[in-house]
Amino acid sequence: MRELRIRTLAGIFALALVLSWAGARMWDALGTLPAVPVAAPIVLAVIATVLTATALSIRARLRAQRERRPGAKGVEPMMAARAVVLGQASALVAALAAGAYGGAGVYLLFGAMDVPARRDQAIYAGLSVLAGAAVVAAAVFLQRVCRLPEDDEEPPPPAAAAA
């Protein structure tokens, strides 16, 4: 399984931010801008909490297994792989959502901040971006916890061809 790179997530975030800003600008010119849901930062924060709890649990179980503590419960490889896939998928979706809410927030921030409803929407969008960043951080942490010991080492150089 390939490691998810921060550069990829930053690119997704930036692209979604630009497209969302342009879309919000166009949508507001045509009519009413859709609202940023109050639940968006809450849901993203819950996902970040679940990913962090999973990473801490797996890390504790791996540490207990390495130290050969009596009664230590090991980590099944398939469970660790599923946790990493969940983390990677969550990070990708969170980067996309944070970019989308960030673009709407930037538009609202530089738009009509004198309207209380728009100010609240900009706050919700900003909180959504922060919660999305927390999801990405938790997913990267989970990915690092589930890394195999062989993944830390450099691959051996290829053998020289015999002449």
Side-chain angles (χ1 to χ4, degrees), residues 62-147:
L62 287 172
R63 183 175 291 149
Q65 188 178 9
R66 265 189 307 248
E67 294 173 355
R68 301 198 188 282
R69 292 184 193 157
K73 209 174 179 185
V75 177
E76 294 180 29
M78 189 57 80
M79 185 187 81
R82 287 180 182 143
V84 170
V85 168
L86 173 67
Q88 288 181 349
S90 298
L92 289 168
V93 171
L96 184 65
Y101 291 130
V106 167
Y107 176 76
L108 289 168
L109 191 63
F110 293 113
M113 283 297 288
D114 54 339
V115 179
R118 291 232 171 169
R119 190 174 329 121
D120 290 345
Q121 293 298 305
I123 291 170
Y124 299 149
L127 290 174
S128 296
V129 171
L130 292 175
V135 170
V136 169
V140 169
F141 176 57
L142 177 61
Q143 183 173 267
R144 293 201 188 274
V145 165
C146 292
R147 183 182 292 172

